[in-house]
Structures are given as structure tokens and as C-alpha cells.
Amino acid sequence: MSNEEDAQQESVVSIAPTSEASLSERTDEEPLEQEQQTVAPAEPLAPTETTETQSVDIDHTLPHPEIPAATNISNVKSSIVLIKSTLQAIVDEKDIKKFPNVQKIVERVIIRLESSDLQSVNSIAIFEALRSSCRTKSTRIQLKSLDCLSKLFSFRALDEAILVNPPDSMASNDQNQEDSTTGITPPPKQKLIDAAIDTISECFEGEGTDEKIELQIVRALSSCILVEDANSVCHGAALLKAIRTIYNIFIFSLSGSNQGIAQATLTQIVSAVFDRIDLQEAQSSHLKNQHSSFSSIDVSSPASITANANGNSTNSASTENPSSQAPLTLKNMDVLNDEDDKFVEENQKNGSPITKQELFIKDAFLVFRAMAKISAKPLDTELDMRSHAVRSKLLSLHIIHSIIKDHIEVFLSRSTFLPGKERLTLLDSIRQYLCLLLSRNAASSISPVYEITLEIMWLVISNLRAEFKREIPVFFTEIYFPISDLKTSTPHQKRYFLSIVQRLCNDPRTLIEFYLNYDCNQGMPNIMEMMVDYLTRLALTRAEITQSQRAYYKEQLNKPLATYNIGQVPLLSVSSISSSVDTNQTALPFPLEFALKMTSLDCIVSVLRSLSSWAHRSLNPSLSHSNNINRSRSGSSFTRNRRSSSVFEANSNMTNGFNDEVGSIQDEDDPTQFENLKHQKTELTACIRLFNTRPKKAIPELIKKNFLKDDSPESIAKWLIVTDGLDLAAVGDYLGEGDERNVAVMHAFVDQFDFTRLSIVDALRNFLQKFRLPGEGQKIDRFMLKFAERFVDQNPGVFSKADTAYVLSYSLIMLNTDLHSSQIKNKMTLQEFLENNAGIDNGKDLPEDFMVGLFNEIANNEIKLQSEQHQALLSDDQNLVPSQGSQSAFNFFSSRDIVREAYMQVSKEISSKTELVFKNLNKSRNKSDVDIFHAASHVEHVKSIFDTLWMSFLAALTPPFKEYDDIETTNKCLDGLKISIKISATFGIEYAEKSFIGALVQFCNLQNLEEIKVKNVNAVIVLLEVALSEGNFIRDSWRDILYVISQVERLQLISKGIDRDSVPDVSQARLANHRVSFESSRSASTSFFDKWTKRSSLTEIAQEKYYNQTLPPEITKFISSSELVVLMDNIFTQSSKLSGNAIIDFIKALTDVSLDEIESSQDATTPRMFSLQKMIDVCYYNMDRIKVEWTPIWAVMGTAFNKIATNSNLAVVFFAIDSLRQLSMRFLDIEELSGFEFQHDFLKPFEYIVQNSGSSEVQEMILECFRNFILTKSSKIKSGWKPMLESLQYTAQSNVESIVYKTYSLASNDIVASHFESVFSQEGAFGELVSVFKEITKSKESQKLSLHSLEALKKITQKIAEISFAHKDEKSKEKLAVMLRGKDIFQDIWFPMLFCFNDTIMTADDLEVRSRALNYMFDALVAYGGEFDDEFWSKICTKLLFPIFGVLSKHWEVNQFNSHDDLTVWLSTTLIQALRNLIALFTHYFESLNSMLDGFLGLLVSCICQENDTIARIGRSCLQQLILQNVTKFNATHWKDIGDVFEKLFDLTTATELFEYDPLHKGRKTSVSQEPIADNATAPDGLNLEETVQRAHEEESSEDVGNQMSAENEEGTTTNGKQQQQQQHLQHLNPNMNTKARPQGSHSVISSNGNSRSAKRLAQTKSSEDLRRRITVKNSIVVKCVLHLLMIELLSELFENEEFARSIPYTQSIEITDLLEKSYEFARDFNEDYQLRTRLVEARVVDKIPNLLKQETSAAAVLINVLFKLYLNDEEKKAELGERLTRVCHSVVLGYVALDDRTMERSINSWRPVIVEILQGYYEFDDEDFKKYCSLMYNLVLQILDKSVPTELRHAIKIFLSRVGELYFVPS
């Protein structure tokens, strides 16, 4: 055999297990190698797969050699004939003579056959003859022998289970293995079938084998295996050897047809091996055997099997078993030595007998493992596609693909256990091999290998994802995603991977389960998110493409992307495949980026469609069930049926203690649970991101969010080690900080490592993989100190002390940096390294060999972060490829493919990294944990996924639509948006929905006519379809949709030839101010750019372009298409199908658009009202909705009508009102039940329009609408009366007399005359009706109409009186109750009625109207007041009567008086008349109104306390009248109120300012009683004559405050002009005074502090402020003094009334005397303080020296008069009164006597009447009292004689003295 052939043979991967060192070399333990084999064509495939060298115990007894093997005699005979003829032909061959031994054996058998009875076949003899013939080297003999063997096994003519000796053995053919008792060890026997396979296989001698021999070998081997007999005994090693031989024929045969036949046979055999497994029988066998082994298995620990597999059981095997609980490691995957392969045999040696199904399962495992090992053999860099290695790998991969695809149920079954103690399932057994072959081939540069590997990966994803939960993300994150991002990867690799991703995107269940199990799992990468981000990146890549390139791309879409048809194993013979390494690497006739972009776009849409279909299927379970019943075995996803059964089986296994699966499958999932998990994962990611930037702030956040249980160093350290995604540089910086806290964490971090039995370099490598060592020396020092301590503790004896390890480790770090840093040019030498570390071991040197080894290891293998190295290699793969410009011209002639070489380098790194990941997979999981795979079952998962990824979807779908105009691409984007909107609408993700609809609206692009394309029209269609299908969920987005409809309708009009200016664009109302025209904007220089250039601004350019654009002709037909028109119409017609909330959103949007349309029309004569018309139409379409839904709808529409109908364009207004009228007519046809107010709601806009429209035409139109309603629908109007009447109130206020007249006519002639009772019965309508007439009474346009309205009100008063008070019988009462409908007759009927009169009285301009209204109101009160209850009377008084006099409490603030004349007239007429009527009413209805006496009194107080003298006197008069007319009716409470009123009046009218404004602030001084002056010549107070004369003049000219005004008014000397002047003066000096205890609703003008505000604002200067203050104070003093005198006068007159004096209680009388005495003393104190009065003049508070002489004398006079009456009439209190009376009289007379005639002449004259009254009173005393009190008075009378004594005084003195004489001097 040539060397080339030997090399080819050595390149083939062996089926047998091989060592890691040499996968192609033979081992010394190959039991089936034959000594006499001279050629070893299949040496690499030597049968070391034999795993059992002893017989297998089958469940039946072996037959005797002579027992017939065939059950049918005819078959036996035919078999014997065949054997004879074959053997005879062999004997006849010439070549037989070269093999005499063979000839003898054959002849012997022929003789035996001829002598037999033809009833049985001696299987051993016949086989020995055929075996010896096959071992000859004669082709002809071998052909005949192989043909015979093939036929015999096909007919089952031989006993396959019989034992035979090895070739050339001299041992007997006994069926029992001979023991060694004879001292001779016999060779081991084989089953006949095994020996036959060995014999047949040995006939193949490699490439030199004859083609016919090869064909017969294949045929014979297939006959041995492919039998229908279920009891076939071809298993284990024999089966593998047969497969090996056929595989070698496929590889080495020089015949293309033989290669094809061998391939087909091999495929058939492998399929047959798996077909033998009966899952039902295996399940029953499994359940039967479970009970016997249950007690020996720890059912409580899912990790028990793992523990046994890892060497903790009694099994002597030290290697790890690929169990379900132990993740793959590098050792599991790569070190596939004999001990690994023998594990199964060792596992079952001591077990129970193997059943037939277990044997079949074991065969399947062995075959799969053999194929996996072949496929895992690495390939050389440069290989021909026809090479043995490539063809071998391809076939093995395709066979594995077909195994998984066609027999997936076998792998999924939880009852397919391999025989043995550990009870491993078939899937668990092949797991490591499958992962190994995938990791070795996934990055292959050979397209067919890459494709088939991806297909296998897809089978795992689609069918075994639950079982490979932890492995799948490794392949994505470590291989496929990195490869897809590599610059050096081939276009075919990227496209094919994307095609697999597309399949994944089309599988809803897989997508959702990926999200649940990976994206919601903190320990897993976000596969779903990574995939979508990857697709989004591709979709966002800009790719330019020409038309020809696009045509090529479309053409290739119909061609398969795969090299071979994956549906079946391709023909891989040399003649059928190309020699090219990769036929798919030819340059694409179109940009790769474009192809990837389009496919990724398809994928995005597929993802959305899958999510939508899942949501739809989950929301419609019946569809889901019917669609998921059946499924192909090679389908793309789990079915519910299969998954359910899998769950059932898994649960059964768990129940019985045999949960051997990777993880249980959880079928029931809680969406909330996964949302929480995803939220936690997102928060953890955020915390990791925070840690990577600000570690110290991240720790409290981690504790807060429960990712760290506390802030202990141990917890933080553990988290830093186990958490993925941390920036290792940040970890290093955080741990390296010198802070005590950070140092503690670093120590705990180092303590997490296990350095046991590691060299110091290996320990450093492991240590430095978890963080990046900081560059600062101090930080490195701290790390190395702790590292050395930990290393020495765990490796005692390596170094003498920790310092040695510390110095050495630090030195190694420096050495590593020195040797491998590109910035250091002079590298450290070995000698320098040794010198640097001399004496570090406690003063001694470390062994030189040891140090040299360390140096070499560092030099050859840099200590670096593997993760960073791998990432750098991936990110810099383009640097491995020289740029085109830098390539040498000679490279053109070079055969090297530099890009391919670069990719090969990176792919090897990827594969090794993947294996390393699998190696560490188990370190991240607790042994006791069970991976739970969550099967998708809930619709809410779609919401969570979409909520997480919707922004990526939006980003991917938007740019392609804008970049390309072709229908295919844009329709994909539109489909994606449509589905996205549907999903977001279904699950209420409002922000996402709004964004997608916003994108779709942008796609419509209807603003720019010239830029509209077909894709934009399609976008409009999709938008409308979405609106129709998802209208209930799109909420605020209706606005954008209806704007689009408005724009489309405009374009349709333009396309029909209508002038563009006639149909303005609604968008302009949104974007610009419509009042600024295009021309004006051109002339306005407001642009920022105008400062720098004279050219047109950008705004001007844009506007000019906008106004000059035209609609392209080709777009016209699309814009006007019937499809689009129907869709637009359906939006409105199908609005009736919207939900109650959705229709409100729709109406809101529609009204907004209609308003903008109208706004855009400006003042056009034909404004654009498309949306307004549609708004009306929508009302008709939704007329059948219930009132509960209509109420909020009309609330929106009513507001819209309010805005539209008050537009400046009357055309719009009239259209709106007419539309509103038509709608109202329709609504009025709908019966309204009592208590509802829908009519009120839809008629309310009329009221708003009337209020806010300044057009009389609009108001007249509305009045006509009302008249129309009343004439045609009056019987159905209920709550509608109120808004109509409210509207009439506003028309009644119109300045246009015709409108007022029409209002009066409508109200009076139509409503009151015909429909009064209907209005009366409606809630609130009656009040609105009378208010209409009330407003007409106040009309300034026509007194006649006002008076007519008053008459109408009077008639209405009579009507309601009849209705209210005429109910004498039960029938009338029932009728009243029906009309009232719960309304209060007084509060809801009479009060509004009376209020109309009140309002007219208060606000009407015409005196006649006010006077008549006043009369009508009081007439009504008098006429019907007897029916009113006390409560209603109270309301009438407080709300109606008292407010009439509210003007008194708001001095000069009544707005209805335009001039002083108006005020004067009102005061002199209306107010006086009202006040007198009020008092008369009180007297008339005293029984009902007496409880409100305080209110009446308070009102009178307000009248009295006025600056206006007329009002004050009328108030005083009315108070007197009130008291006197009811004096006999008052009770004690009433008298107390009266007493309180007088106290209040005296208090309010006391001029305290006279003391308060003393410049010296000395306050009030109490006057002192003066003794009689003996010497009249002496001036008073020690004044000299000159001063006396001066004071006399001053006193004479002094002003008696209040007396002068009072006197003038009383005497009538004040002219009208003077009175007017005085009142104007007082008005100018308005004091705004705050009084205490004011009556309700009253604000007195009198203030105790004198603070007031002038009505006329003066200049704000110091002098003006002083002037205003002085004038205000003086005014206040004068007013108060005048009013005080009026009060004294009132009391005097009251006590003159005998009935009053007799009725008033003693207590109130005493209180009144106290008030009079206080008034007297106040005036006396002031008058006697001459210095104070002088200071007031000097301070310019007053102009003249003031005095209160009139007040002092009047108060004293009235006081004395009252006291005398009380004294004379009250015997009980006579003594007390006498004392007080005489005291007061004595004080008065004493003061009089003390007056100086020279200076006090005026005072003397004022006091004389008082003295006269005192003396007369004394005279009336009875004798006893006179005698008692006269003595003191007698002396004072004598002193009076010293003064001038006029006649009256002389007479009084005379009678007094006469009485004294009579009492003392008249003799008895």
C-alpha cells in the first residue's frame, strides 16, 4: 500500500474510543484484531468498540448444533441446496488448490451434507467451511462464500446464537466455555453471528479490495443486521464492527457506486438500530424493574446519580460519568479513552440481567457514540472536499442528524435506560458526545459541515431544548453570535445562521420558552434579547443595492441555501461531490449586507407574528387544541401532547425515585412570577452596570434589592466571584483600595479560592482570572500578601514561610509584565530573574531548576485574562486580514486564502473557548439543584416579551421603510408595525402602541404631495386596517389616525381636480399660525438667519416649496382607490362597534381634527368641514348606544360644538347649529325616563353658543330652533327645558330689542301658556323659567316689555299659588305630588319666584319697574305668607328681604347707580318704601317673623348707622314704629334683643375719636364734682381777666358737634343744594369703619377707630395723607355725634309713649338709663377737658374748639326724665331709684351752679331746661321723698339764684321753694 494511502487511512476518525493523545492510533486492547491479517485497511477504525468479551445472557435457551435452525422444512432444504452448490463451486475453483486446508474443510462439509437427511443444518460446520473460504485471498472464492453467507443470514438458515471457536482453533465446539481445570486455557468462543461479522469484515482490505468483494461485504453485513426477526442477536461489538466495515468501504472504496451503496446501507442499518427500540415495551420494562431497585436508590436526592458518576459510589471507575446532573467538562468531551467507554460495561456487570429492549438501547447508544466521535475529529486546515476526513465527517454528521430527526421520541423518552446500575437514559448518555461534536464543528469553515451542524443544533433547539437547557445558550453566546459578527466569517455562514434564526423566529413556543428560561433566569444570558438585538443591528445596517443586484437577490430567494437537501442523507461519494473546499464561498451578485438586512427584517416580522399567533392561540384555546394535536417528528417545536406526556413521565420518574433527567419540565407557569424574575434580572444588570462604574455605591444598592444578604466581606466576596458580567478591572480596583473595608473584602475574596496541590504559577493563573490586577504597586502588594498567605496555608511545606511566597508571587507578576509588555524593549533575562529572587527563602535561594521552570512557564505562557484575550481576538479578527491596498501584487498569484486562514485561527479559539465553558459549566450550579425547564402555556408571556423588546422592534422596522421604496420591503415593515400595534393594543402597552402608530403615521407622509409614493398609500391602508381591528385599544392615537384620514380626503379632492387652496391641509393648523399668510411670512424678517444673509429663510423656502408642490399622477389612482375609500368610510360606520371607552377616545380625536380643519379654513366662504360632517355621521351611527355610554360621548361632542359654533366664520357656525338641531331632533325622539338628564346634556351647547356668540343672527337662529323643538317635540321634552330656558335668560339680556321680544314671546306665549305644568314638573326648570322673565324686567331696551314681564311674573305667582295652596282634596294633593316630583314647594318654587322680584327691585334701572316689583313682592308675601312655614320665612328674610338693604352695609358700592341723582331717587323711593313695607310685614306676620326680630333690628341698625341723614332718620323712625306697633307682643327675649340693639347703637355712635386723637394721648379724664364758688369775681381755673375774656370768645365760637346738623335738619333750614353738598362731602370722606357685633349682612359705616378709605384716591404724599386722615376723622366725629343725638331723641320719644313705658321690663329700662348716663358722662368729661379740646384744634383734627353740649344736656334730660318715671311707677325699686335719681340730679345741678356766666353762657342756656325739669320732678315727690331728698337740693337752688333766672327757671324755683315751705314752715 502506498504512503499516500496510508496517510489517507490514518486521517479517518476511528469508530472505536481513542485516547486524547492520539485519536487515530491503535490501542493494545483491541480484542478483535486477527493475527493473520496482513493488510490493515481499516486500522483507524479497529474494532475497539467491543465492550463485551463474554456472552450475553439472553432470555432463551441456546439450541443444540444439530437442532434445525429453520422452522420450515422447505426452507431447510433450499438452504442445504444453496450450501451444497456454493461449496461445490468453491471446490471446483482452481484457486482452491492453493489452500489445501480450506479445500479439505469444504469437502468434508459437502460429504456431511450429502449424507444428512436434509432435515437440519449443522450451523457450525457450514460456517467453518464458509469462514475458511472467506479467509483465502482468492477473489472468486471470497465472492462465492460471501454470497452464500449473505443468503444464509437473509434466510435465517444458521443458528446465530450458537458458540463457535475462533479461526484455526483446535478446541471442541461444545456450547459451554471450558474451564481451566485441565491446565489449558481454551480460546474464548464467539456467537456465530459475531464470528460471521468478523469473517465478512476481514474480507475488506482497504482501497485495494475488489469492487465486487466490497459489494458482497456490504450485502452480507446488511443481511446479518437488517432482519425482520426481533430476536436478532447481532449486538454490541459485532454490530459496531459491521458498521465500521461498511463505513470504511464508503471511505476507501474506489468505486463510486460502492461508496453510494455503502452509504445507503449504513444509513439503513443505523436507522434499523433505533427502530428496534419499542418505547412502550421499554416503559413497561422500566416500571417493572423499578420496584426491585427502589430500595437501593436515594430518592430524596436528585444528585445521587451525579455523586455516583463522580466516583463517590462503589464503582471503581474514576472518570466522570456523563450523567444528567454533571455538566460537561473538557475531560468529559475530549479524554474519551477506554475507561470512559468501558463505563457502561462496568456499570452493568453487577447488575440484573439485560432485557432485550435494554440491549437495543445500548446498541443505539454505541452507534450514536461512534458517529459522534467520528464527527468530532478535527480537520486539517487545507482539505479537499473529497478527502476521506471531510467525507467521513459529513456522513457522520448527516447520520447523527437523521438519527435525531427520525427518532426524536427515543431521546425524549424517560424510559430508554441503558443497562446498568446507574440507570442512565439514552439522552443523558449521549449528551457529552453531542455537545462535543457541536462545539468541534459549529465554527467549521466548510460550508456543508457548518450547515449540518447548525441543522443538528436546530433539532436540539426545536425538540430537545428542555433537556439541553444549559447547553443551548453556550452555543449561541460562544459560537454562533460571535461567528456572525466576525469580519472573516463567510457570507454563507452568516446567511445560513440567519436562516436558522428565522426558523426560531417562526416558532412561537420556542421563542417564549427561550424568554422564560433564559431572559428571566439570572444565571442565564438573555438569549431572546440578544437575538433580537442581533437582528436589529442587521436591519439597521445601511445597504445600497442596484436594480440588477436586486433582481439577482430575488432570483436566489427561490433557491435553497443549503449545500445538500437536509431532508435526507446526501450522496457523499467521491464522484458526487465537488473537490472545492467550499462551493458557497463564491462572490454574491448582490451586497451581503442587503441580504442579511432583508432576512433580519423577515425575522423581526416573524418574531412579531409568532408572538401574535401565540397570543391569539392562547386567547382561543379551541384553535390551539385543534392545531396542536399532531406533529411531525422533525417538527420545529414541542406540541402540547408530547410535552404533556413528557411531563407525566418526568413526574412518574420523580415519584418513583428515578428523576434522572437534566431538569424537570414545569408546564404550569405564572406570568407574574416571570415578570418578577425578569425585573430582578434587570435590576441585577443595572446593579452590575453601577458596580462597573461606581463600585462603592453599588454595594448598598445590591443589599437594598436583596442581591446581597448583608454587607459582610464574605457576602460581597462571594458575589464578586459568582456574578457574571462584572468588569474585572472594576473588581480589581475595588478590591485593591486601601480602605479597611475594601481590604477586608479582598481578604474574604482570596479566601474563596482553593490552591491546594497547585503550583504557584497555576495558582496565580486561577487567581488572576477573577479580576484584573491594578497597576498601582501598593494595590498589587496587598493582593500578593494575601495570596501568599492563602497559598502557604493550603500548601504547607512548599515554602518555608509566607514571605517567600509573597516575594516570589510579586516577582512573577513583574516578570510576566516585563516579558509580555510591548512597551518594554529590554526584556528581563533568566539570570536577572534569578538574581532578583536570590535569598528569598529565609535567606536561601530557591532551587534553580524550580526557578528556571517558573521563568520558562511565564515566558512561554503569559498570565492573562482568558475572557479578555478571547474577546480581543474576536473584535480584532479583521486585523488578521491585510487590507486590499496593502496586499502585495504577488498575492494575486498566491494560492493562500488569507481570510480563510484568519477565520480558521479564530474558529479554533472559539471551539476551545466553548469546550472550556462546558468544562466550567458545573461549577456555577449547586449539585443539589435541579434545572427546571418552564414550558410556555400562558398568553401573558407575550406581554412581558413585547414590553421588553418593543423598542428594538421599532428601531428595526422604521429605517428600512424610509430607505427603500420597493413594495416587498416596505410591506414587511408595515406588517411588522401592524402586528406590533395589535400586540401592544391587546395587552394594553400604551406607550409602545403609541410609538408604533406614530411610526405608521410618519410612514404615511401625506404632507408633501410630490414625495408621496405607493408605499405611503400602503401605510395609510395598514393604518386604517389597524384602526378597524384594534380600535378599542388605540386610545389617544385616534387623533393621529383621523388626521391622516383628513389629509387623505383632501388629497382625494385634489386628485378630482379641486383647487388645492380650497381644501387647506389640516396639518397646517397644527404647525403654523393660520393668521399669518405665506406672503406676510415672506415679508416678515423674524428668521434667525436674516441676521447673516439676505437669502430666504429656511421657513420661507419650506413654505414656498409646500405651496408649489403637486400630486404625482401615478399616485392619484392609489389615493382614489375604492379600497382606501371603503376603509375610510368603515372607520366611521363601524364606530358603533367600539367599546364605551374607545368611542369616547374616538370622538375626542374626531372633534380635535374637526376643529383643526375649521381653523385651517380661516374665513373661507366654503370652510373645510369633512371631520365635522363625520362627527355628525358618527352620532347617527351610534344612536343605538345606551344612555350610559352616550353621556360621556356627548360631553366631548358638546364641548366641540361649543368651540365650533362660536367660530368667527358664520358659515361654520350655521352649519354646526343646524347639525346640532338635527341631532337634537333625533335625540328628542328617544324617550327619557324621569330623573335622567340626557336631553339636558345634548341641548347644553345651545346655551354655550348663546352666551359666547356675539352675533344676533346666531341668537335668532337658536331661538327659532327652540321654537321648533317646542312646536314639534314638546310632549317629549323633559330635562331639555332647563338648557333652553337658561339660553333664553341670555337672549333676554340682549341689547337687540327684537331678540328680547322673541324671547318674551317664546317664554310667555309658548312655554307659560301651553307647557307650564311640564316645565313646573322638571327639576330646576321652573327657576330658570321665571329667571327669563326676571332678565326681561331688567331690560334697558323697552320699559313696556319689562312691565309685561312683571305682569307675567305676577300671573305665574298666582298660578303657583293655585297649584300649591288649592289642594283641598286627595286628588289635588296627588296631582301636586306628581308635579313636584320630590321638590320642596317653598324652596324650589316660591323662593325662585320671589327672588325674581327681589332681583328686579335691586338691579332694575327703571323706577316704575322697581316700584311695581316691590309692590308685587310684598303683595304676594302678604297674600300668601300665611301658608309659609317659619323656616321658609327665615329664608325669605335672610335671602330676599334683608339683602334689599345690603346697600347700607356696602356704602356707596352699589353699581346700578350711575349718578348721585339715581342713588338719591332710589333711597328716597324704593328703599324707603321697602323699609316701611318690611316693618308692616313684620307687624302683619308677627307670629311667624318674631323669631327673626334680631335680624330686623340688625337691619334697622344698618339703616341708622349711615352718613346719609335721610336714611338714618328713616331707620330711626322705622325702629320706633317697629317697637311701638308690637310693644304689647314682645316677650322677654324680644325686649332683651331691643335692649341689646340700643346698647349697640349707643356704642357705635359714641365719638371716641375725640379722645383717641389727642396729640398727647392723655386719654379720657373723669370730671370732678365742683363745689359752689363763693367769689364770683375770681376767674375759673385761676384764669386772669384777659384769659377769661379770650376763653369766653372761644367758647362762644366753639362748635357743638352734631347739634348744628341736627338743628338745621329739624328746622328745615338746610336747602336741597346744601344737603346735596353735604352728602357729597361725606361721600368724599367715606369712613370705612369696622364695628363689633354688627348685624348679619350689615356693615356699618361707623367705626370706633376711625380708619376709613376715601372714595377718591388722593396723591400718595405726606401732606395728602395727613389731609385725608384729618378729614376722615372729623367726618366720623360729626356723623357719630349726629346719630347719637338721634338715639337719645328716640329714647325720649319712646318713653313718652305710655304703652311703651308700661310694657318695657324694668331690666331693659335700667339698661337704657345706664346707656344715657354713659352718654352724659362721656359728653361731660369731654366738655370739661378744655385743654383737650384746644389740642384737637391745634392738631387740626377739628377746625373749631369742639364740645358735646347738646349730647350732654340731652342725655341728662332724658335720663332724668326716665328715672323720674321709673321712680314714680315702680314701688319695689323706689329706694334704689331714688338714690340714683338724686345723685344724677345733684350732679347736674352742681355742674350748672359751677358754670361761669362770663365764659359759659351758652352752656348755661343749654342746661336751664334740664334744671327746670329736675326742679319740677322734685316738686312731684310725695312728702316723705321730698323731705328726704330736698335738703341737698335746697342749697344748690339757692346758688342758682346767683345767676340770671329766666321765667321758666324762676317758676321752677318758686314751686320747689314753695314745697319746701309747705313741708317745713307751714304750721301743722
Side-chain angles (χ1 to χ4, degrees), residues 446-604:
I446 302 175
S447 294
V449 175
Y450 181 81
E451 292 168 8
I452 191 61
T453 308
L454 257 178
E455 294 293 341
I456 295 173
M457 182 67 194
W458 170 244
L459 291 178
V460 173
I461 292 172
S462 59
N463 297 284
L464 300 173
R465 56 180 174 272
E467 291 72 15
F468 284 83
K469 175 182 176 180
R470 308 191 75 222
E471 289 81 2
I472 288 175
V474 176
F475 293 110
F476 274 107
T477 58
E478 301 296 336
I479 299 179
Y480 290 114
F481 283 138
I483 286 178
S484 64
D485 291 332
L486 288 178
K487 300 294 184 183
T488 54
S489 58
T490 66
H492 182 72
Q493 286 176 316
K494 296 178 180 180
R495 294 181 65 200
Y496 204 86
F497 171 65
L498 200 55
S499 69
I500 297 298
V501 172
Q502 190 170 11
R503 295 185 206 172
L504 179 59
C505 295
N506 284 314
D507 189 344
R509 181 179 291 277
T510 305
L511 285 176
I512 295 174
E513 289 180 354
F514 267 31
Y515 179 80
L516 299 183
N517 292 281
Y518 300 130
D519 292 58
C520 297
N521 190 333
Q522 290 187 13
M524 294 290 184
N526 296 331
I527 297 297
M528 183 74 173
E529 191 170 341
M530 292 172 63
M531 182 180 71
V532 173
D533 289 344
Y534 165 69
L535 295 173
T536 304
R537 288 200 309 273
L538 294 180
L540 293 178
T541 305
R542 293 192 62 85
E544 300 296 334
I545 187 170
T546 64
Q547 291 297 328
S548 59
Q549 289 174 334
R550 187 182 291 275
Y552 282 122
Y553 173 73
K554 291 181 179 179
E555 182 181 352
Q556 69 86 32
L557 286 178
N558 299 322
K559 298 179 181 179
L561 193 59
T563 304
Y564 302 112
N565 182 10
I566 304 301
Q568 59 186 12
V569 178
L571 182 59
L572 298 174
S573 61
V574 176
S575 60
S576 62
I577 60 177
S578 171
S579 61
S580 173
V581 176
D582 193 350
T583 58
N584 287 312
Q585 290 192 13
T586 57
L588 295 174
F590 48 82
L592 171 64
E593 292 77 10
F594 179 79
L596 297 178
K597 186 185 185 78
M598 293 298 102
T599 308
S600 63
L601 194 58
D602 286 333
C603 291
I604 291 289

Side-chain angles (χ1 to χ4, degrees), residues 261-432:
I261 294 172
Q263 177 183 328
T265 305
L266 182 63
T267 304
Q268 189 177 6
I269 290 174
V270 170
S271 179
V273 169
F274 281 85
D275 284 339
R276 292 176 183 175
I277 301 176
D278 188 339
L279 296 180
Q280 292 184 352
E281 186 176 343
Q283 173 72 15
S284 60
S285 176
H286 166 62
L287 295 175
K288 181 174 63 177
N289 293 334
Q290 278 183 352
H291 181 72
S292 61
S293 57
F294 179 80
S295 60
S296 64
I297 295 179
D298 182 9
V299 298
S300 64
S301 174
S304 60
I305 299 175
T306 303
N308 292 337
N310 285 321
N312 298 330
S313 66
T314 57
N315 195 329
S316 62
S318 61
T319 59
E320 292 186 4
N321 174 38
S323 68
S324 61
Q325 296 300 321
L328 296 181
T329 64
L330 182 62
K331 193 171 183 179
N332 278 339
M333 292 188 296
D334 213 9
V335 188
L336 302 174
N337 53 26
D338 292 331
E339 291 183 348
D340 290 321
D341 296 326
K342 289 181 179 179
F343 178 78
V344 178
E345 288 74 30
E346 295 293 336
N347 187 34
Q348 65 92 28
K349 279 183 180 180
N350 300 324
S352 59
I354 300 176
T355 64
K356 178 175 62 177
Q357 284 302 316
E358 288 176 335
L359 202 56
F360 290 156
I361 294 170
K362 180 180 178 182
D363 288 342
F365 163 72
L366 294 175
V367 170
F368 189 95
R369 184 179 66 177
M371 294 296 107
K373 287 181 178 180
I374 296 174
S375 63
K377 176 68 170 67
L379 295 175
D380 295 334
T381 303
E382 296 292 342
L383 285 177
D384 191 332
M385 284 292 293
R386 296 178 178 178
S387 65
H388 298 333
V390 174
R391 291 175 55 240
S392 173
K393 182 179 286 289
L394 280 175
L395 181 60
S396 59
L397 287 173
H398 276 283
I399 289 176
I400 289 176
H401 178 267
S402 64
I403 289 174
I404 299 175
K405 181 185 70 173
D406 297 336
H407 305 283
I408 188 65
E409 291 83 359
V410 174
F411 295 100
L412 287 172
S413 174
R414 310 312 304 168
S415 59
T416 54
F417 289 95
L418 264 67
K421 183 177 180 181
E422 296 301 334
R423 306 292 294 169
L424 297 179
T425 63
L426 177 62
L427 182 65
D428 293 332
S429 302
I430 60 97
R431 181 187 304 277
Q432 61 175 338

Side-chain angles (χ1 to χ4, degrees), residues 1400-1416:
T1400 303
I1401 295 168
M1402 297 297 296
T1403 59
D1405 291 334
D1406 189 81
L1407 174 61
E1408 177 66 21
V1409 173
R1410 291 202 309 268
S1411 177
R1412 191 174 296 186
L1414 186 67
N1415 291 332
Y1416 286 169

Side-chain angles (χ1 to χ4, degrees), residues 1035-1099:
R1035 300 175 185 87
D1036 295 340
S1037 298
W1038 271 118
R1039 180 184 176 92
D1040 295 326
I1041 295 171
L1042 293 174
Y1043 270 117
V1044 171
I1045 293 176
S1046 175
Q1047 290 175 313
V1048 172
E1049 192 267 346
R1050 172 178 179 265
L1051 296 179
Q1052 290 173 347
L1053 294 177
I1054 294 175
S1055 67
K1056 294 176 182 178
I1058 297 178
D1059 182 18
R1060 183 178 65 248
D1061 295 333
S1062 301
V1063 279
D1065 187 1
V1066 67
S1067 63
Q1068 298 308 301
R1070 308 171 70 187
L1071 302 177
N1073 187 347
H1074 74 281
R1075 296 179 180 84
V1076 180
S1077 65
F1078 170 62
E1079 289 74 14
S1080 64
S1081 66
R1082 288 295 302 270
S1083 62
S1085 299
T1086 58
S1087 172
F1088 174 81
F1089 297 97
D1090 287 345
K1091 299 178 182 178
W1092 313 104
T1093 178
K1094 295 296 184 180
R1095 294 177 299 176
S1096 298
S1097 68
L1098 297 179
T1099 303

Side-chain angles (χ1 to χ4, degrees), residues 1710-1721:
I1710 295 300
E1711 290 177 355
I1712 290 175
T1713 59
D1714 292 341
L1715 294 175
L1716 291 170
E1717 187 173 1
K1718 288 180 182 178
S1719 176
Y1720 156 69
E1721 291 175 350

Side-chain angles (χ1 to χ4, degrees), residues 1584-1601:
N1584 56 31
L1585 182 61
E1586 183 179 352
E1587 291 175 345
T1588 302
V1589 173
Q1590 181 180 359
R1591 176 172 178 181
H1593 286 295
E1594 290 176 352
E1595 289 285 0
E1596 186 65 26
S1597 63
S1598 65
E1599 181 180 13
D1600 189 353
V1601 183

